[in-house]
Amino acid sequence: MTEFLSNLKSVIRLRSLRARIFLIILVLGIVPCILVRVTIVSDYESRAVETRVSAVQNQLTITANHLVANKYISALTGRADDYTGSLDVMDAEIEMLSNVYEGRIMIIGGNFKVLKDTYGISEGKTIISEEVIKCFQGVSTSYYDKNLGYIELTTPIADTTAEGGSGVIRGVMLTSISDDSIISMADVLGNNAFILEITIIILVAALAVILSRFLVSPITTLTGRINAVKAGYNNLLEPVNDCTETEHISESFNKLLTRINALDESRGEFVANVSHELKTPMASMKVLSDSLLASPDASVEDYREFMEDITSQIDRENRIITDLLALVKMDDTSSQNLKPVPTDINELTELVLKRLRSIARKQNVDVTFETKRKIIAEVDEVKITSLITNLVENAIKYNHENGWVRVSLDADHQDFKLTVEDSGLGIPEESLAHVYERFYRVDKSHSREIGGTGLGLAICRKVVLMHHGTIDLTSKEGEGTRFVVTIPLSYIADAK
Ligand code: ADP
């Protein structure tokens, strides 16, 4: 029900594509139809009036000629000494004409007096209208009053045989005829056109329903298939190849799904790795405490020794959690997470090396530092410290007794370059591509033994990327490793 209501709402607001297509087809089909009907009917009406006027005018001109020939006007005005015809015959002709055209004919004399009125009510009255005056000047006029429903015509009664020139106007015939027959014909035509129009509207509406459904059907199919993916019936979208647009949408949707699935998989793998890494120190602690509990005769020295082991496992657990937190924090690569300030890179490196020299000494590893110039760069001090620490610590940890570690700094006008080289174990070629992965270690047991978490290089890579820099690794197993980090001197903010 609610779905129906929301569908109805979107149709009313024309947010539905189907509703839009329906409306466009309907408007395109119906508007011309209405226009055609209206113009045909009104055109018919004006043409019918024109035809009628010219037919009646012709007939009236013939009668006017008869009236002249019979000196009808003179006879009526009493000046017809030479009256040749019969008044009755002419009266009958005028009467017949008015009957034929269902109208009224008035004969107006030269002094604008009505000499004859077929209705018999205006005889003797004076009619001075614009049309009558015009007609006395020899111009026939016609006027259609649509509201009152009549056509008025004036016809000059011109005497072409009169002395002193042709066309002396003896009088005017003022004729009014009803438009009933025209209107009734127009009504019939209008009704027929209206029925035709309604039929066309129904047909166009049906066509609009069918066409809009047909045109939107690929999108409807696509929505159905996306819903099937959403409901979990399918892993990937079954492509809708009905039209290029839906084909492209299906393709893009499937690419997106593949990416999401891959992301889901890697997240699952990460969680599994984290659980495994956190479980290992716990399992060691459990074994240590169980064996202590199982030996009631254990001495104080035994207890001390076991407790030291447990403490080192707790330290390890702590390191993993600290590294994980650092990594997760850096997953948010937004600029708010990075606080770049102008930092003396030489001083920073010196400080890190000072801290790490004690570990190096324990392993008899010689750490040297060489810098070509003073470098001030806009970096996040904490993050760059952890980058240098991780690289130098690895160089010391994965080294031989009496080995060496060389740290050097250089810069050009754009970037500074940090190089960390060692004479250590090196990294096998097949592992080079994996060392930046979380929890990846070349030699798992050795790394654990020396306190590695497998997260150090992942952190390094993140820090470098956050500073829009690059990290290069070259290594040869058994010979040593070299990391070269290049970072811009000025921090480039991400484009929003
Ligand atoms: P870990 O905490 O185990 O050191 P890292 O992410 O820092 O984890 O390093 C990943 C792996 O890469 C290490 O386990 C080690 O096998 C290898 N590795 C890193 N740096 C060096 C290096 N300088 N020399 C040799 N191997 C290295």
Side-chain angles (χ1 to χ4, degrees):
M1 187 66 186
T2 45
E3 197 182 332
F4 171 75
L5 282 179
S6 77
N7 279 348
L8 194 71
K9 248 191 211 165
S10 64
V11 167
I12 291 168
R13 286 194 205 146
L14 279 187
R15 284 176 52 75
S16 142
L17 187 62
R18 218 176 120 186
R20 285 182 200 174
I21 296 173
F22 174 80
L23 208 78
I24 290 169
I25 298 171
L26 204 66
V27 169
L28 286 182
I30 288 172
V31 169
C33 186
I34 294 174
L35 284 178
V36 166
R37 178 181 66 87
V38 171
T39 39
I40 283 181
V41 171
S42 74
D43 199 47
Y44 165 77
E45 214 173 299
S46 60
R47 267 171 201 282
V49 169
E50 257 173 50
T51 319
R52 197 159 165 80
V53 163
S54 85
V56 175
Q57 199 67 275
N58 278 343
Q59 193 53 55
L60 286 170
T61 312
I62 294 168
T63 306
N65 289 339
H66 285 173
L67 293 179
V68 171
N70 288 298
K71 296 196 165 50
Y72 183 73
I73 304 283
S74 323
L76 282 182
T77 49
R79 291 180 283 102
D81 311 335
D82 56 346
Y83 183 61
T84 51
S86 150
L87 265 179
D88 290 346
V89 174
M90 284 329 307
D91 280 345
E93 187 173 337
I94 293 166
E95 271 320 320
M96 188 200 70
L97 210 59
S98 82
N99 284 338
V100 168
Y101 293 120
E102 292 171 345
R104 175 185 186 181
I105 299 175
M106 286 187 273
I107 308 293
I108 300 166
N111 50 1
F112 297 102
K113 273 240 161 74
V114 177
L115 302 175
K116 165 87 186 158
D117 177 4
T118 51
Y119 279 15
I121 42 179
S122 294
E123 277 167 15
K125 287 182 187 166
T126 307
I127 293 182
I128 308 173
S129 71
E130 200 188 324
E131 284 80 15
V132 173
I133 295 169
K134 255 192 200 162
C135 195
F136 269 112
Q137 288 159 3
V139 185
S140 318
T141 64
S142 67
Y143 162 74
Y144 176 40
D145 190 325
K146 199 175 166 159
N147 292 331
L148 295 176
Y150 71 90
I151 306 167
E152 197 179 78
L153 304 113
T154 58
T155 319
I157 305 170
D159 188 354
T160 45
T161 59
E163 300 161 29
S166 59
V168 175
I169 311 292
R170 300 274 181 221
V172 164
M173 285 177 86
L174 180 64
T175 315
S176 316
I177 52 169
S178 136
D179 70 347
D180 281 358
S181 58
I182 294 172
I183 293 299
S184 61
M185 198 54 207
D187 281 351
V188 171
L189 193 74
N191 284 344
N192 287 347
F194 184 68
I195 292 169
L196 193 71
E197 187 183 284
I198 294 291
T199 318
I200 290 175
I201 289 175
I202 293 169
L203 286 177
V204 168
L207 188 77
V209 168
I210 296 167
L211 259 180
S212 60
R213 190 183 288 249
F214 171 72
L215 290 175
V216 175
S217 79
I219 294 176
T220 317
T221 318
L222 189 69
T223 316
R225 293 195 187 165
I226 289 177
N227 282 339
V229 174
K230 212 168 80 184
Y233 300 134
N234 295 328
N235 246 349
L236 282 179
L237 182 79
E238 194 187 324
V240 180
N241 298 329
D242 298 11
C243 57
T244 346
E245 284 79 3
T246 50
E247 211 175 303
H248 288 165
I249 296 175
S250 308
E251 249 171 53
S252 306
F253 192 82
N254 272 340
K255 274 184 195 156
L256 189 75
L257 274 181
T258 317
R259 261 179 63 186
I260 292 173
N261 288 344
L263 219 79
D264 228 35
E265 229 169 75
S266 90
R267 193 182 307 137
E269 207 176 295
F270 177 63
V271 171
N273 281 340
V274 169
S275 319
H276 177 75
E277 291 298 327
L278 292 178
K279 252 180 94 179
T280 318
M282 294 281 240
S284 309
M285 284 188 266
K286 170 98 172 113
V287 171
L288 287 167
S289 45
D290 275 355
S291 51
L292 264 187
L293 288 173
S295 42
D297 311 325
S299 65
V300 178
E301 282 73 33
D302 290 339
Y303 267 95
R304 175 169 289 281
E305 192 188 323
F306 275 63
M307 285 316 283
E308 272 170 5
D309 286 349
I310 288 175
T311 310
S312 90
Q313 290 305 324
I314 290 173
D315 285 344
R316 189 172 143 60
E317 186 102 31
N318 237 334
R319 265 198 311 277
I320 296 174
I321 291 168
T322 313
D323 278 359
L324 265 177
L325 283 177
L327 204 60
V328 168
K329 245 183 164 177
M330 275 187 277
D331 268 343
D332 172 15
T333 42
S334 64
S335 45
Q336 292 123 305
N337 198 19
L338 199 78
K339 294 175 184 68
V341 284
T343 309
D344 186 332
I345 304 295
N346 301 72
E347 213 179 286
L348 196 82
T349 315
E350 295 266 22
L351 251 161
V352 171
L353 293 183
K354 206 169 144 193
R355 249 185 280 144
L356 292 177
R357 274 206 174 94
S358 61
I359 311 173
R361 232 172 281 128
K362 270 189 218 159
Q363 273 192 249
N364 249 340
V365 173
D366 181 37
V367 180
T368 56
F369 176 47
E370 185 194 355
T371 178
K372 301 231 165 86
R373 64 200 82 233
K374 186 174 168 65
I375 300 165
I376 306 285
E378 254 184 298
V379 293
D380 185 312
E381 211 180 308
V382 179
K383 292 193 171 69
I384 293 292
T385 306
S386 90
L387 165 78
I388 305 173
T389 309
N390 271 314
L391 290 180
V392 179
E393 205 178 349
N394 277 352
I396 300 169
K397 279 193 311 192
Y398 302 104
N399 217 319
H400 302 290
E401 277 267 336
N402 304 319
W404 50 260
V405 174
R406 274 186 219 134
V407 181
S408 61
L409 270 174
D410 195 4
D412 54 22
H413 62 287
Q414 226 172 352
D415 310 296
F416 76 86
K417 195 195 275 181
L418 167 82
T419 310
V420 181
E421 281 175 282
D422 65 62
S423 60
L425 310 175
I427 301 169
E429 211 179 324
E430 64 274 14
S431 299
L432 286 174
H434 301 287
V435 286
Y436 298 111
E437 288 169 15
R438 296 150 173 182
F439 299 116
Y440 183 85
R441 294 137 167 143
V442 175
D443 181 346
K444 272 197 187 335
S445 55
H446 177 65
S447 163
R448 279 208 193 100
E449 231 172 74
I450 55 178
T453 61
L455 295 170
L457 285 182
I459 293 176
C460 289
R461 202 175 84 99
K462 267 267 153 65
V463 171
V464 171
L465 288 183
M466 281 176 105
H467 285 85
H468 304 287
T470 55
I471 181 164
D472 287 318
L473 158 65
T474 38
S475 183
K476 203 148 195 205
E477 208 176 352
E479 285 182 21
T481 305
R482 177 161 62 159
F483 281 96
V484 181
V485 173
T486 312
I487 287 178
L489 292 171
S490 317
Y491 177 70
I492 310 155
D494 288 327
K496 285 263 150 79

